[in-house]
Amino acid sequence: MKVAVRTRGRCSLHRSYPFLRDRAAVFLWSQSLGLGYGAELSLAALDVADTQVQLPVLSALAHPENAGSNRLLEKVGFQAEHHVASMTRILYRRKRPVLAGN
């Protein structure tokens, strides 16, 4: 039996920009937009960041005109902080929630 595997996108946690602190990145291929994969990838990455790596704060960037990305970031707990004019992006931050037993 052959199983078809299709990549829907990718997700990562990085330390690439000093002013951003730790950063979450989710990239979806265009055919996967609007199907819930972004939320699923984001929540999985946030779970790793919260429980395994225990990052205190995560940052994310989204273009102001990318309504889907902005909605997704807010849906998974990020809050818009300010517009970074030099990058034409909105900077979002999310603090690690206090987990039961911690």
Side-chain angles (χ1 to χ4, degrees), residues 19-62:
F19 76 94
L20 288 177
R21 300 184 192 133
D22 296 311
R23 182 170 72 111
V26 174
F27 302 95
L28 292 178
W29 313 152
S30 60
Q31 69 272 20
S32 298
L33 296 175
L35 300 175
Y37 294 114
E40 189 173 340
L41 280 170
S42 298
L43 291 171
L46 293 174
D47 181 58
V48 170
D50 293 342
T51 61
Q52 295 179 33
V53 186
Q54 298 183 351
L55 298 173
V57 177
L58 278 173
S59 303
L61 295 166

Side-chain angles (χ1 to χ4, degrees), residues 12-98:
S12 58
L13 298 169
H14 339 223
R15 293 184 170 170
S16 55
Y17 297 106
F19 76 94
L20 288 177
R21 300 184 192 133
D22 296 311
R23 182 170 72 111
V26 174
F27 302 95
L28 292 178
W29 313 152
S30 60
Q31 69 272 20
S32 298
L33 296 175
L35 300 175
Y37 294 114
E40 189 173 340
L41 280 170
S42 298
L43 291 171
L46 293 174
D47 181 58
V48 170
D50 293 342
T51 61
Q52 295 179 33
V53 186
Q54 298 183 351
L55 298 173
V57 177
L58 278 173
S59 303
L61 295 166
H63 193 280
E65 294 177 12
N66 188 335
S69 290
N70 290 291
R71 266 192 317 273
L72 173 63
L73 289 169
E74 291 172 0
K75 178 180 180 177
V76 298
F78 284 85
Q79 294 181 346
E81 208 167 85
H82 67 272
H83 184 260
V84 182
S86 63
M87 298 176 76
T88 318
R89 298 288 183 269
I90 298 171
L91 173 64
Y92 286 84
R93 295 221 198 262
R94 177 191 173 273
K95 292 183 182 178
R96 180 169 44 112
V98 177

